[in-house]
Each structure stands twice: as C-alpha cells, then as structure tokens.
Amino acid sequence: MIDKIAALEKIARQLEPDDTTRQELTKQVIDHTSDFLSVLDHEQAFFQNTEPENRDTLSEEPESMDQLLQFLRNQVEKDGINAASGGHMGYVPGGGLYPSALGDYLAAVSNKYAGIYFPAPGAARMENMLISWMNELMGFPPTATGNLTSGGSISNLIAVVTAREAKEVKAKDFDKLVVYLSDQAHHSLQKALRIAGLGEAQLRYLPIDDELRVDISSLAQTIKADKSKGLIPFFINASLGTTNTGTIDPIGEMSEIARKYQIWFHVDAAYGGFFQMLPEIRKRTTGIEHADSVTLDPHKSLFLPFGTGAVLIKDLTSLYKAHRYTADYLQDLVDSDSEVNAADVSPELTKHFRGLRMWLPLKLFGLKPFRAALEEKLLLAQYFRNQLQQIEGFEVGPPPDLSITMFRYVPTDGDANAFNEKLIKSIQDDGRIFLSSTSIHGKFWIRVAIVVFRTHKSKIDLLLDIIQEKVQELSS
C-alpha cells in the first residue's frame, strides 16, 4: 500500500505545477488576453462560425496550453456574440471589466469560501460591505441586508421566497395569492414564483401607457376587488428599467399603494439599479426606499462580468426564516454578532467568492468613472434616437428612460413587421454591431441597448451608418 500511495502521489503532484511552469502558463494566458483586448475595438460584435461544430472531448493525456488557447480563440471567442465588444448592443449586455477578471483570479487562487464568516471573516466582511453600499444607494436603512447572487433570476427567487415567509402564507392558500405586474416584467419573476411553489398564484397584468410604463390608475380598485373575493394581494412588482425598453415604472405611487394595503413591494432594478448613482435618475425613483426588496445586476449597469447579481432585503428575520439552516458538521462555527453569513440568506451554500470581482474595480477606479460611464450611456441613447428621427422612414419608440431605445423602419409599401425582421437579420449577419429585437403589442421593434462600458459615440455613429446601409440594400 505504501508503494502504491507513493506512485499515486507522484502522478497527483502533476496538479501542482512548479513556480517556473506556473509563470509560463500565466504568461501564455496573459498574452492571449492582451491579444484579445488589443483588437477588440476592431473585431466583430457577432461571429457566425462557418466551421463544422467541434465536439470537444476529454482524455487521459494532457494537451499544451498553446493548443487549448487556440481552441478557445477559434471555437469559443470567435463564435456567437462577442459580449466584451462595445458593438454588443443586443439584449441587456454586461461589460467584463478587466480588474474583475483579476479579482476572479485572486479569488480562485486563494479559494476562500465566503459563504460563512468563520472560515473567511475578511471575505464575508467584504461582501457585506458591498451589500451595505448598495442598500445605501437604494435608500435602505443600515439594518437592511442582502446577498451577492449569480444574477437577477436567483435574486428574484430569493425575494419571492422571502415574501412568502414574511406574509406567512400557507400552502392551502397559494391559489388565493395575487401578484401584480405588467407584461413588461422580466419573465424570471414568473419563473421564480413557479420554483417557489407559487405557480398557482394569480397574476394580474397591469396595463401599460403610451410610454410603456405601468398604468396604476386602476391598481387600488383591482386590489380592493380581489380582497372582496377572498383573495390575498401578495406581491407588487415594479421595474427600474424593463429589459424590453428600459422603462422606469411609477415606483413612488406603487410603493404608496403597497404600503396602504400591506403588500410586499419588489423593485426589479436588475438593469437600471446602478443608474441610481446619477442624481437625475434618483429624482425619478423616489419611493424605492420603501420597497421590501430590490434586485440588482452588477453585471449589467456596473459593467462587471456575467454571474454577478444582488438582492437587497429589508427584513432580515424573514430572510433567515426562508433560508437559514444548519447541520451537525457545522457545530464548530462561531458566528459574528455584526456580520451576516451569505449561506444563511440564499439558496446557495458553497459559492464563488464573487465579491472580489466587484470590490477590486470599485476600489481601484473609484466611483467617479462608473458614474461618468452611466451618464454617457444615457446620452448616447438619446443621441441615437435624435439622429434616427432625422432620417426619413424611421419610427422610434418613446424617449428612453435609461440607455435602451428602439426603432423600426416603415417602408412606403409592404409589411413593416416583415421588413424589420429582415433588417435585424441583415444587421446581425453583418456582424459589426449586434442588436436584438422584440415585439410589443403586435409591433416588431429593433432594440438598441447601450450598456457595455466600451460603447462610445464612434460605435453609435457606425450603427447609424449600418442601419441606413442595410435599409438601402433591402429596399432595392
């Protein structure tokens, strides 16, 4: 047995490269990323890989880092949406700040477990500090808490489950619960309700006005009618930046109604939340401080890499009631009186130390350039819309609340929806800029989501040229 252990150890030690090998591997990766970033501004925003699909496999034998990086470049980086590109203006893109990648590297090397205070006090304090900063940004009290999540879907799930526990609803009443939202709410909310066991809850889709905001003129009457029928008004959802159009719902008025009828009030600010750093946006979101929960996605309007979300919750007791468990093997843990354990306020137990990817760029750059980038994106959306309005044949959506705007071309004859379907396909096939589309009440629209920190005026001017070029091609 001793000889076998020694033989196995010799092979297993291949998992721990020596210092020289580590330095060489690191250099190869850094050189690769430097090459990626140095040409990024001139690369396609969308790649359509014409090579046969490569089904990767694993084997017992090693491959060189050079081979692996070449595969990564050809089969991953140059395939599909170039999500790091300033030309990515489809969906609601993220950013991928470089210092965040360094933060991930440091987190992975140290392998700190940030879920519980006892094994990693510094990591827990760092993540809780970030949560406190976001709570302050939303106007929440110092007693509010939250969690760094993988994204808005898990954040919305945590909010829904916490609301269920806070309102002490029982399974026998799930079909009596009523959720109030608009058809512009992100579908992750409906998904969260189903996962939380509330799939039988009744959804009241509130109408939207001409600006695509929730029309709450009948909300109070709807709530009263539901109560008179023996139903339980449970959850009101407002959006601070809808995914479709970037619209800000009337948060202040909705919060007043929620408080009057003692309904859980949730603000989905996954896309728009960090625009709260701008005074002009904060003026338009008065009332968010009265929310019970808020969803944020730092991987959107804070420009971090995908996989960085957050949920803020005022009521720690209900958050614990929904998520806090312990086990015999954790009996050695010593809790801190002043720090919340991330594992106690989330479905996740083991989780990545994702706070480091957020903390490092915020500390390294300071808040000022983030605020400037956000204001720039607001103005770029307005600039694009203003420029397009001056070109004959184009119809634009409502003035953007944030940095998403939409447009469509209306040909002199033929079906406008069909024309715009061809137009978006033509823009995507071109690849220099990536846009996406949506349909609102039967109208086909093309969306321009200006969120990547690398998107500047030169990209918007290029987009305007491409749109006119493609319209001309399709028209002829």
Side-chain angles (χ1 to χ4, degrees), residues 79-149:
D79 195 11
I81 298 173
N82 188 352
S85 168
H88 178 20
M89 303 180 214
Y91 309 114
V92 179
L97 288 167
Y98 184 72
S100 291
L102 299 179
D104 277 349
Y105 173 74
L106 293 168
V109 170
S110 65
N111 201 30
K112 281 290 186 180
Y113 169 57
I116 297 176
Y117 177 83
F118 175 73
R125 286 195 299 269
M126 179 185 291
E127 295 202 344
N128 285 337
M129 180 276 286
L130 295 169
I131 293 292
S132 295
W133 172 67
M134 288 183 279
N135 275 316
E136 183 180 353
L137 191 62
M138 298 302 123
F140 275 22
T143 52
T145 185
N147 186 252
L148 292 179
T149 69

Coordinates of all heavy atoms in Angstrom, one line a residue, residues 79-149:
D79 N -17.1 32.9 -31.8 CA -18.3 32.1 -32.1 C -19.5 32.7 -31.4 O -19.5 32.8 -30.1 CB -18.2 30.6 -31.7 CG -19.2 29.7 -32.3 OD1 -19.9 30.2 -33.2 OD2 -19.3 28.6 -31.9
G80 N -20.5 33.3 -32.1 CA -21.6 33.9 -31.4 C -21.4 35.4 -31.1 O -20.6 36.1 -31.7
I81 N -22.1 35.8 -30.0 CA -22.0 37.2 -29.6 C -20.6 37.5 -28.9 O -20.2 36.7 -28.1 CB -23.1 37.6 -28.7 CG1 -24.5 37.5 -29.3 CG2 -22.9 39.0 -28.1 CD1 -25.6 37.7 -28.4
N82 N -20.0 38.5 -29.3 CA -18.7 39.0 -28.7 C -19.1 39.9 -27.5 O -19.2 41.1 -27.7 CB -17.8 39.7 -29.7 CG -16.5 40.0 -29.2 OD1 -16.2 39.9 -28.0 ND2 -15.6 40.6 -30.0
A83 N -19.4 39.3 -26.4 CA -20.0 40.0 -25.3 C -19.2 41.1 -24.7 O -19.6 41.9 -23.9 CB -20.5 39.0 -24.2
A84 N -17.9 41.0 -24.9 CA -17.0 42.1 -24.4 C -16.9 43.3 -25.3 O -16.3 44.3 -25.0 CB -15.6 41.5 -24.2
S85 N -17.5 43.2 -26.5 CA -17.3 44.2 -27.5 C -18.2 45.4 -27.3 O -19.4 45.3 -26.8 CB -17.7 43.7 -28.9 OG -17.8 44.7 -29.9
G86 N -17.7 46.6 -27.6 CA -18.5 47.8 -27.5 C -19.6 47.9 -28.5 O -20.5 48.7 -28.5
G87 N -19.5 46.9 -29.5 CA -20.6 46.8 -30.5 C -21.7 45.9 -30.1 O -22.7 45.8 -30.9
H88 N -21.6 45.3 -28.9 CA -22.7 44.5 -28.4 C -23.8 45.4 -27.8 O -23.6 45.9 -26.7 CB -22.2 43.5 -27.4 CG -23.2 42.6 -26.8 ND1 -24.4 42.4 -27.3 CD2 -23.2 41.9 -25.6 CE1 -25.1 41.6 -26.6 NE2 -24.4 41.3 -25.5
M89 N -24.9 45.6 -28.5 CA -26.0 46.4 -28.0 C -27.3 45.6 -28.1 O -28.3 46.2 -28.3 CB -26.1 47.7 -28.9 CG -24.8 48.5 -28.9 SD -25.0 50.0 -29.8 CE -23.3 50.2 -30.5
G90 N -27.2 44.3 -28.0 CA -28.4 43.5 -28.0 C -28.7 43.0 -26.6 O -27.8 43.0 -25.7
Y91 N -30.0 42.6 -26.4 CA -30.4 42.1 -25.0 C -30.0 43.2 -24.0 O -30.1 44.4 -24.3 CB -29.8 40.8 -24.7 CG -30.0 39.8 -25.8 CD1 -29.0 39.3 -26.6 CD2 -31.3 39.4 -26.2 CE1 -29.2 38.4 -27.7 CE2 -31.6 38.6 -27.3 CZ -30.5 38.1 -28.0 OH -30.7 37.2 -29.0
V92 N -29.6 42.9 -22.8 CA -29.0 43.9 -21.9 C -27.6 43.4 -21.6 O -27.4 42.5 -20.7 CB -29.8 44.1 -20.6 CG1 -29.1 45.1 -19.7 CG2 -31.2 44.5 -21.0
P93 N -26.6 43.8 -22.3 CA -25.3 43.2 -22.2 C -24.6 43.6 -20.9 O -25.0 44.6 -20.2 CB -24.5 43.8 -23.4 CG -25.2 45.1 -23.7 CD -26.7 44.9 -23.4
G94 N -23.6 42.9 -20.6 CA -22.7 43.2 -19.4 C -21.5 44.0 -19.9 O -21.5 44.6 -21.0
G95 N -20.4 43.9 -19.2 CA -19.3 44.6 -19.6 C -18.0 43.8 -19.5 O -17.3 43.6 -20.5
G96 N -17.7 43.2 -18.4 CA -16.5 42.4 -18.3 C -15.3 43.3 -18.0 O -14.3 43.2 -18.7
L97 N -15.3 44.1 -16.9 CA -14.1 44.9 -16.6 C -12.9 44.1 -16.3 O -13.0 43.0 -15.6 CB -14.5 45.8 -15.3 CG -15.4 46.9 -15.5 CD1 -15.9 47.4 -14.1 CD2 -14.8 48.1 -16.3
Y98 N -11.8 44.5 -16.8 CA -10.6 43.7 -16.7 C -10.2 43.4 -15.2 O -9.8 42.3 -14.9 CB -9.4 44.4 -17.5 CG -8.2 43.5 -17.5 CD1 -8.1 42.4 -18.2 CD2 -7.1 43.9 -16.7 CE1 -6.9 41.6 -18.2 CE2 -5.9 43.1 -16.7 CZ -5.8 42.0 -17.4 OH -4.7 41.2 -17.4
P99 N -10.2 44.5 -14.4 CA -9.9 44.2 -13.0 C -10.8 43.1 -12.3 O -10.4 42.5 -11.4 CB -10.0 45.5 -12.3 CG -9.8 46.5 -13.4 CD -10.4 45.9 -14.6
S100 N -12.0 43.0 -12.8 CA -12.9 41.9 -12.3 C -12.3 40.5 -12.6 O -12.4 39.6 -11.8 CB -14.3 42.1 -12.9 OG -14.9 43.2 -12.4
A101 N -11.7 40.4 -13.8 CA -11.1 39.1 -14.1 C -9.9 38.9 -13.2 O -9.7 37.7 -12.7 CB -10.6 39.2 -15.6
L102 N -9.2 39.9 -12.8 CA -8.1 39.8 -11.9 C -8.6 39.4 -10.5 O -8.0 38.6 -9.8 CB -7.2 41.1 -11.8 CG -6.6 41.5 -13.1 CD1 -5.8 42.8 -12.9 CD2 -5.6 40.4 -13.6
G103 N -9.7 40.0 -10.1 CA -10.4 39.6 -8.9 C -10.8 38.2 -8.9 O -10.6 37.5 -7.8
D104 N -11.3 37.7 -10.0 CA -11.7 36.2 -10.0 C -10.4 35.4 -9.9 O -10.5 34.3 -9.3 CB -12.4 36.0 -11.4 CG -13.9 36.3 -11.3 OD1 -14.4 36.5 -10.2 OD2 -14.5 36.3 -12.4
Y105 N -9.4 35.8 -10.5 CA -8.1 35.1 -10.5 C -7.6 35.0 -9.0 O -7.3 33.9 -8.5 CB -7.1 35.7 -11.3 CG -5.7 35.2 -11.2 CD1 -5.3 34.0 -11.8 CD2 -4.7 35.9 -10.5 CE1 -4.1 33.4 -11.7 CE2 -3.4 35.4 -10.4 CZ -3.1 34.2 -11.0 OH -1.8 33.7 -10.9
L106 N -7.6 36.1 -8.3 CA -7.2 36.1 -6.9 C -8.1 35.3 -6.1 O -7.7 34.6 -5.2 CB -7.2 37.6 -6.4 CG -6.1 38.5 -7.1 CD1 -6.4 39.9 -6.7 CD2 -4.7 38.0 -6.6
A107 N -9.4 35.4 -6.3 CA -10.4 34.6 -5.6 C -10.2 33.1 -5.8 O -10.3 32.3 -4.8 CB -11.8 35.0 -5.9
A108 N -9.9 32.7 -7.0 CA -9.7 31.3 -7.3 C -8.4 30.7 -6.7 O -8.4 29.6 -6.3 CB -9.8 31.1 -8.9
V109 N -7.4 31.6 -6.8 CA -6.1 31.1 -6.2 C -6.2 30.9 -4.7 O -5.8 29.9 -4.1 CB -5.0 32.1 -6.6 CG1 -3.7 31.7 -5.8 CG2 -4.7 32.0 -8.1
S110 N -6.8 31.9 -4.0 CA -6.9 31.8 -2.6 C -8.0 30.9 -2.2 O -7.9 30.3 -1.1 CB -7.2 33.2 -2.0 OG -8.5 33.7 -2.4
N111 N -9.0 30.7 -3.1 CA -10.0 29.7 -2.8 C -10.8 29.9 -1.5 O -11.2 29.0 -0.8 CB -9.5 28.2 -2.9 CG -10.6 27.2 -3.2 OD1 -11.5 27.5 -3.9 ND2 -10.4 26.0 -2.6
K112 N -11.0 31.2 -1.2 CA -11.7 31.5 0.0 C -13.2 31.1 -0.1 O -13.8 31.4 -1.2 CB -11.6 33.0 0.3 CG -10.2 33.4 1.0 CD -10.1 32.8 2.4 CE -8.9 33.4 3.1 NZ -8.8 32.8 4.5
Y113 N -13.8 30.6 0.9 CA -15.2 30.3 1.0 C -15.9 31.4 1.7 O -15.7 31.6 2.9 CB -15.5 29.0 1.7 CG -16.9 28.8 2.0 CD1 -17.9 28.8 0.9 CD2 -17.4 28.5 3.2 CE1 -19.2 28.6 1.2 CE2 -18.7 28.3 3.5 CZ -19.6 28.4 2.5 OH -21.0 28.2 2.7
A114 N -16.6 32.3 0.9 CA -17.2 33.5 1.5 C -18.6 33.3 2.1 O -19.2 34.2 2.5 CB -17.2 34.6 0.4
G115 N -19.1 32.1 2.1 CA -20.5 31.8 2.5 C -20.7 31.9 4.0 O -21.8 32.2 4.4
I116 N -19.7 31.7 4.8 CA -19.8 31.8 6.2 C -18.7 32.6 6.8 O -17.5 32.5 6.3 CB -19.8 30.3 6.8 CG1 -21.0 29.6 6.3 CG2 -19.8 30.4 8.3 CD1 -21.1 28.1 6.7
Y117 N -18.9 33.4 7.8 CA -18.0 34.3 8.4 C -16.8 33.5 9.0 O -15.6 33.9 8.8 CB -18.7 35.1 9.5 CG -17.7 36.1 10.2 CD1 -17.4 37.3 9.7 CD2 -17.2 35.7 11.5 CE1 -16.5 38.2 10.3 CE2 -16.3 36.6 12.1 CZ -16.0 37.8 11.6 OH -15.2 38.6 12.2
F118 N -17.0 32.5 9.7 CA -16.0 31.8 10.5 C -14.7 31.4 9.7 O -13.6 31.7 10.0 CB -16.5 30.6 11.2 CG -15.5 29.8 12.0 CD1 -15.0 30.2 13.2 CD2 -15.1 28.5 11.5 CE1 -14.0 29.5 13.8 CE2 -14.2 27.8 12.2 CZ -13.6 28.2 13.3
P119 N -14.9 30.7 8.5 CA -13.7 30.3 7.7 C -13.1 31.4 6.9 O -11.9 31.3 6.5 CB -14.2 29.2 6.8 CG -15.7 29.5 6.6 CD -16.1 30.1 7.9
A120 N -13.8 32.5 6.7 CA -13.2 33.6 5.9 C -13.8 35.0 6.3 O -14.6 35.6 5.6 CB -13.5 33.4 4.4
P121 N -13.4 35.4 7.5 CA -14.0 36.7 8.0 C -13.8 37.9 7.1 O -14.7 38.6 6.9 CB -13.3 36.9 9.3 CG -12.8 35.6 9.7 CD -12.5 34.8 8.5
G122 N -12.6 38.0 6.5 CA -12.3 39.1 5.6 C -13.2 39.1 4.4 O -13.7 40.1 3.9
A123 N -13.4 37.9 3.8 CA -14.2 37.8 2.6 C -15.6 38.1 2.9 O -16.3 38.8 2.1 CB -14.1 36.4 2.0
A124 N -16.1 37.6 4.1 CA -17.5 37.9 4.4 C -17.8 39.4 4.7 O -18.8 39.9 4.2 CB -17.9 37.1 5.7
R125 N -16.8 40.0 5.4 CA -16.9 41.4 5.6 C -16.9 42.2 4.3 O -17.7 43.2 4.1 CB -15.8 41.9 6.5 CG -15.9 41.5 8.0 CD -15.0 42.4 8.9 NE -13.6 42.1 8.5 CZ -12.8 41.2 9.0 NH1 -13.3 40.4 10.0 NH2 -11.6 41.1 8.7
M126 N -16.1 41.8 3.3 CA -16.0 42.5 2.0 C -17.3 42.4 1.3 O -17.9 43.4 0.8 CB -14.9 41.9 1.2 CG -14.8 42.5 -0.2 SD -13.6 41.7 -1.3 CE -12.1 42.0 -0.5
E127 N -17.9 41.2 1.3 CA -19.2 41.1 0.6 C -20.3 41.9 1.3 O -21.2 42.5 0.7 CB -19.6 39.6 0.4 CG -18.6 38.9 -0.5 CD -19.1 37.6 -1.1 OE1 -20.2 37.1 -0.7 OE2 -18.5 37.1 -2.1
N128 N -20.3 41.8 2.6 CA -21.3 42.6 3.4 C -21.2 44.1 3.2 O -22.2 44.8 3.2 CB -21.3 42.2 4.8 CG -21.9 40.8 5.1 OD1 -22.7 40.3 4.3 ND2 -21.5 40.2 6.2
M129 N -19.9 44.5 3.1 CA -19.7 46.0 2.8 C -20.3 46.4 1.5 O -20.9 47.4 1.4 CB -18.2 46.3 2.8 CG -17.9 47.8 2.6 SD -17.8 48.3 0.8 CE -16.3 47.5 0.3
L130 N -20.2 45.5 0.5 CA -20.7 45.8 -0.9 C -22.3 45.8 -0.8 O -22.9 46.7 -1.4 CB -20.2 44.8 -1.9 CG -18.7 44.8 -2.2 CD1 -18.3 43.6 -3.0 CD2 -18.4 46.1 -2.9
I131 N -22.8 44.9 0.0 CA -24.3 44.9 0.2 C -24.7 46.2 0.8 O -25.7 46.8 0.5 CB -24.7 43.7 1.0 CG1 -24.4 42.4 0.2 CG2 -26.2 43.7 1.4 CD1 -25.3 42.2 -1.0
S132 N -24.0 46.6 1.9 CA -24.3 47.8 2.6 C -24.3 49.0 1.7 O -25.2 49.9 1.7 CB -23.4 48.1 3.8 OG -23.5 47.0 4.7
W133 N -23.3 49.1 0.8 CA -23.2 50.2 -0.2 C -24.4 50.2 -1.1 O -25.0 51.3 -1.4 CB -21.9 50.1 -1.0 CG -21.8 51.1 -2.1 CD1 -21.7 52.4 -2.0 CD2 -21.9 50.8 -3.5 NE1 -21.7 53.0 -3.3 CE2 -21.8 52.0 -4.2 CE3 -22.0 49.6 -4.3 CZ2 -21.8 52.1 -5.6 CZ3 -22.0 49.7 -5.6 CH2 -21.9 51.0 -6.3
M134 N -24.8 49.1 -1.6 CA -26.0 49.0 -2.5 C -27.2 49.4 -1.7 O -28.1 50.0 -2.3 CB -26.1 47.6 -3.1 CG -25.0 47.4 -4.2 SD -25.1 45.8 -5.0 CE -24.4 44.7 -3.9
N135 N -27.4 48.9 -0.5 CA -28.5 49.3 0.3 C -28.6 50.8 0.5 O -29.7 51.4 0.4 CB -28.5 48.6 1.7 CG -29.1 47.2 1.7 OD1 -30.1 47.0 1.1 ND2 -28.4 46.3 2.3
E136 N -27.5 51.4 0.8 CA -27.4 52.9 0.9 C -27.8 53.6 -0.4 O -28.5 54.6 -0.4 CB -26.0 53.3 1.3 CG -25.9 54.8 1.6 CD -24.5 55.2 2.0 OE1 -23.6 54.3 2.2 OE2 -24.2 56.4 2.1
L137 N -27.4 53.0 -1.5 CA -27.7 53.6 -2.9 C -29.2 53.6 -3.1 O -29.7 54.5 -3.8 CB -27.0 52.8 -3.9 CG -26.9 53.3 -5.4 CD1 -26.2 54.7 -5.4 CD2 -26.3 52.3 -6.3
M138 N -29.9 52.5 -2.6 CA -31.3 52.4 -2.8 C -32.1 53.2 -1.7 O -33.3 53.2 -1.7 CB -31.8 51.0 -2.7 CG -31.2 50.1 -3.9 SD -31.6 50.7 -5.5 CE -29.9 50.9 -6.2
G139 N -31.4 53.8 -0.7 CA -32.1 54.5 0.4 C -32.6 53.6 1.5 O -33.4 54.0 2.3
F140 N -32.1 52.3 1.5 CA -32.5 51.4 2.6 C -31.8 51.7 3.9 O -30.7 52.3 3.9 CB -32.1 50.0 2.1 CG -33.2 49.3 1.3 CD1 -34.1 50.1 0.5 CD2 -33.2 47.9 1.1 CE1 -35.0 49.5 -0.3 CE2 -34.2 47.3 0.3 CZ -35.1 48.1 -0.4
P141 N -32.4 51.3 5.0 CA -31.7 51.6 6.3 C -30.5 50.7 6.6 O -30.4 49.7 5.9 CB -32.9 51.3 7.3 CG -33.7 50.2 6.6 CD -33.7 50.6 5.1
P142 N -29.7 51.0 7.5 CA -28.5 50.2 7.8 C -28.8 48.8 8.3 O -28.0 47.9 8.2 CB -27.8 51.0 9.0 CG -28.4 52.4 8.9 CD -29.7 52.3 8.3
T143 N -30.0 48.6 8.7 CA -30.4 47.2 9.2 C -30.8 46.3 8.0 O -30.9 45.1 8.2 CB -31.7 47.3 10.1 OG1 -32.7 48.1 9.4 CG2 -31.3 48.0 11.4
A144 N -30.9 46.9 6.8 CA -31.2 46.0 5.6 C -30.0 45.2 5.3 O -28.9 45.5 5.6 CB -31.6 46.9 4.4
T145 N -30.3 44.1 4.6 CA -29.2 43.2 4.2 C -29.4 42.7 2.8 O -30.1 43.3 2.0 CB -29.1 42.0 5.2 OG1 -28.0 41.2 4.9 CG2 -30.3 41.1 5.2
G146 N -28.8 41.6 2.5 CA -28.9 41.1 1.1 C -27.9 40.0 0.8 O -27.3 39.5 1.7
N147 N -27.7 39.8 -0.5 CA -26.8 38.7 -0.9 C -26.3 39.0 -2.3 O -27.0 39.5 -3.2 CB -27.6 37.3 -0.9 CG -26.7 36.2 -1.2 OD1 -26.7 35.6 -2.2 ND2 -25.8 35.9 -0.2
L148 N -25.0 38.6 -2.5 CA -24.5 38.6 -3.9 C -24.8 37.3 -4.5 O -24.5 36.3 -4.0 CB -23.0 38.8 -3.8 CG -22.5 40.2 -3.4 CD1 -20.9 40.2 -3.4 CD2 -23.0 41.3 -4.2
T149 N -25.6 37.4 -5.7 CA -26.1 36.2 -6.3 C -25.4 36.0 -7.7 O -24.6 36.8 -8.1 CB -27.6 36.3 -6.5 OG1 -27.9 37.3 -7.5 CG2 -28.3 36.7 -5.2

